[in-house]
Amino acid sequence: MTISHSRLEENLRRIRQRIAAAAVDSGRKPHEVRFIAVTKYVDSPEARSVALAGCSDLGESRPQELWRKAEQLADIPISWHLIGPLQTNKIRRTLPVVSLIHSIGGLRLLAALNEEAQKQQRNVQGLLEVNISGETAKQGFMPTEVAAIVARLDDFPHVTICGLMGMASAQARPGQARREFASLRELRETLIQQFPSAARFHELSMGMSGDFEDAIAEGATWVRLGSALFDENGF
Ligand SMILES: *Cc1c(COP(=O)(O)O)cnc(C)c1O
């Protein structure tokens, strides 16, 4: 996929406008909602254009692709977000380049991240991915499992969990995506009341090109946008 620089800047402008409008509509401040440009559909030159156009939070769903682009764009300041599955054999190379891992969806991954982070003398920032749609194809903890994980976070001192991530149903009926986002917001509130270690759960990563306004209405602090940004026909 390629896209002209002027189209990209125009899409970015429209996205920022719609994010700000959605925030204001729900009584929030525009700066409370940040967005990640998901660059998985494009190659490094387009990803570079996005960063140079002022969006320095970039997201990839595959670790190898994240490594590759991070290396090719090492000359500009970018915060890299991993938004897809992370296999344990890819943790070692991912930690030095990633700023936030949105997709911590299993206890084994959490434990492996902690172990490798300790080895590398780093702290990893991450989100617990929750399967809010109930679709079997989706990754993540089931909502009912999350409290037991949060209760054990002290066992993983090299991983700082700073919130929750979720994806709405792929074929959501009207109103369904918003209800699913609301369930993630409510889960976060319940956890904060229950567990001291959830006091730092400031982030809610939810909302993609087709549903980000619903996500913002339900409290998203990060939205993850790919196709909206790279749509050659305008967004
Ligand atoms: C691809 C992807 C996105 C971006 O999706 P768009 O609909 O293209 O905006 C967001 N989050 C995750 C986890 C993804 O894999």
Side-chain angles (χ1 to χ4, degrees):
M1 193 189 280
T2 58
I3 181 166
S4 70
H5 194 73
S6 59
R7 169 52 70 193
L8 189 59
E9 290 198 321
E10 179 60 18
N11 287 356
L12 261 174
R13 199 182 58 76
R14 291 269 299 133
I15 286 170
R16 290 205 173 98
Q17 235 170 34
R18 282 179 58 176
I19 289 174
V24 170
D25 282 350
S26 47
R28 306 178 61 201
K29 300 210 166 58
H31 74 258
E32 293 171 15
V33 186
R34 286 165 296 167
F35 95 90
I36 293 160
V38 177
T39 50
K40 67 186 181 191
Y41 309 114
V42 299
D43 212 338
S44 298
E46 285 87 5
R48 175 179 296 274
S49 294
V50 176
L52 294 178
C55 178
S56 56
D57 287 285
L58 303 188
E60 283 288 332
S61 50
R62 295 178 50 231
Q64 295 104 310
E65 197 52 27
L66 190 153
W67 307 339
R68 196 174 68 83
K69 287 194 176 100
E71 194 177 310
Q72 290 175 346
L73 304 179
D75 56 314
I76 39 179
I78 291 173
S79 297
W80 286 101
H81 297 253
L82 182 67
I83 61 173
L86 177 59
Q87 302 76 16
T88 43
N89 63 351
K90 302 207 172 66
I91 292 176
R92 186 179 56 79
R93 283 192 64 182
T94 299
L95 292 194
V97 282
V98 79
S99 95
L100 183 65
I101 299 174
H102 293 236
S103 41
I104 304 178
L107 188 58
R108 271 187 47 219
L109 175 59
L110 182 59
L113 278 170
N114 184 65
E115 191 177 325
E116 182 62 28
Q118 176 169 27
K119 243 185 241 167
Q120 296 189 15
Q121 301 189 313
R122 296 176 189 282
N123 187 277
V124 199
Q125 307 255 15
L127 307 176
L128 299 178
E129 180 171 357
V130 183
N131 183 345
I132 51 174
S133 71
E135 293 167 302
T136 47
K138 289 271 164 71
Q139 311 273 329
F141 295 105
M142 295 313 289
T144 49
E145 294 177 314
V146 180
I149 302 300
V150 177
R152 292 192 49 189
L153 285 184
D154 288 348
D155 297 346
F156 310 106
H158 302 277
V159 183
T160 301
I161 298 295
C162 43
L164 305 176
M165 184 272 223
M167 292 167 83
S169 298
Q171 308 289 333
R173 295 181 302 277
Q176 186 180 2
R178 178 144 181 188
R179 283 193 298 278
E180 291 169 356
F181 294 140
S183 75
L184 196 64
R185 173 177 53 73
E186 287 158 11
L187 177 60
R188 171 177 167 272
E189 285 159 12
T190 308
L191 294 168
I192 289 174
Q193 284 169 8
Q194 262 184 310
F195 299 100
S197 57
R200 51 174 183 250
F201 281 21
H202 302 294
E203 309 295 347
L204 275 180
S205 169
M206 56 188 194
M208 310 181 5
S209 294
D211 53 24
F212 69 95
E213 282 146 329
D214 280 340
I216 291 170
E218 294 298 341
T221 61
W222 285 110
V223 294
R224 311 176 306 267
L225 306 178
S227 23
L229 185 56
F230 297 106
D231 190 342
E232 188 54 78
N233 299 314
F235 174 60

